[in-house]
Amino acid sequence: MGFILIFFGVLALIAIIAIFYVIAQYNGLVSLRNRFKNAYAQIDVQLKRRYDLIPNLVETAKGYLKHERGTLEAVIAARNAASTASVKAAQNPGDATAMKELGASEGALAGTLGRLFAVAEAYPDLKANQEMMQVMEELTSTENKVAFARQAYNDSVMVYNTAREVFPTNIIANTFNFTAAEAFVIDKPEEKEAPKVQF
């Protein structure tokens, strides 16, 4: 009789340890998921700042670039598309489709800004405009902050994805529907760097 009690006592102890292990792993995954979502929130703050600066840039350049209306309209269209993609990604930073759309729209925005900067080089008065120089400086600073925030987000995503893929945590992750998160990647190598601004 004593052996049976010991046997059931050991089984109960193993069950309690297993339950606490599952709870600890679940809470760890929740913590890591919240970290990458918070890291995306930091990107979102910087992207919104940049989206707010772009209309000022276009408005300042508009007076000088009267014959470059198509370039200015392309910048605004790319900014609006990127802003829309950013809102969608902010709703669920773990959504792979939303993050890929954001990466693509950010790449397109970087490309159109690059064309605007190239066109602006041909206008010495615009390059010397104090307001334009100030907006460009703020935009460059914001681009750097976006790059740092993106790196922090991608690092958080990597830690989360690694944790949810290792055994035996992957069983808990699959059971409780912890899906893989998508890194924020801009596809074209030349678009990964902030636009170079020289006035």
Side-chain angles (χ1 to χ4, degrees):
M1 187 73 168
F3 176 74
I4 293 174
L5 287 175
I6 292 173
F7 176 74
F8 283 117
V10 169
L11 282 180
L13 182 62
I14 291 172
I16 290 170
I17 290 172
I19 289 170
F20 278 113
Y21 178 79
V22 168
I23 290 170
Q25 293 304 308
Y26 177 87
N27 289 340
L29 288 169
V30 169
S31 176
L32 291 173
R33 182 176 58 194
N34 288 341
R35 275 191 201 155
F36 85 72
K37 287 182 176 186
N38 180 57
Y40 182 78
Q42 304 310 310
I43 294 174
D44 194 43
V45 167
Q46 298 306 324
L47 290 177
K48 286 178 182 172
R49 169 84 176 128
R50 186 173 62 168
Y51 299 150
D52 290 344
L53 286 171
I54 290 172
N56 295 342
L57 175 72
V58 169
E59 199 58 40
T60 302
K62 194 183 287 184
Y64 295 91
L65 304 178
K66 292 181 170 82
H67 301 294
E68 304 292 343
R69 184 175 179 172
T71 302
L72 297 174
E73 289 174 354
V75 169
I76 291 298
R79 176 240 181 229
N80 291 343
S83 180
T84 301
S86 177
V87 168
K88 186 176 177 184
Q91 291 171 350
N92 185 6
D95 181 11
T97 304
M99 291 309 294
K100 287 178 182 175
E101 287 176 12
L102 179 61
S105 63
E106 283 295 317
L109 178 58
T112 59
L113 282 174
R115 285 194 297 279
L116 175 62
F117 299 150
V119 168
E121 285 290 320
Y123 293 85
D125 291 343
L126 177 59
K127 289 181 3 181
N129 181 293
Q130 194 66 31
E131 186 177 340
M132 182 70 164
M133 288 172 31
Q134 180 182 357
V135 172
M136 294 303 297
E137 185 177 317
E138 289 180 38
L139 190 57
T140 301
S141 172
T142 302
E143 290 289 344
N144 290 334
K145 291 175 185 174
V146 168
F148 287 125
R150 189 174 71 220
Q151 181 61 48
Y153 169 78
N154 288 343
D155 289 346
S156 296
V157 165
M158 184 190 68
V159 170
Y160 167 76
N161 283 340
T162 301
R164 65 170 292 284
E165 292 171 5
V166 297
F167 181 80
T169 310
N170 64 340
I171 297 169
I172 297 164
N174 291 333
T175 301
F176 293 104
N177 201 25
F178 284 91
T179 58
E182 184 73 25
F184 181 14
V185 178
I186 298 175
D187 295 330
K188 296 182 181 175
E190 67 272 13
E191 294 172 350
K192 286 185 179 179
E193 296 181 22
K196 301 289 187 245
V197 181
Q198 305 240 340
F199 279 97

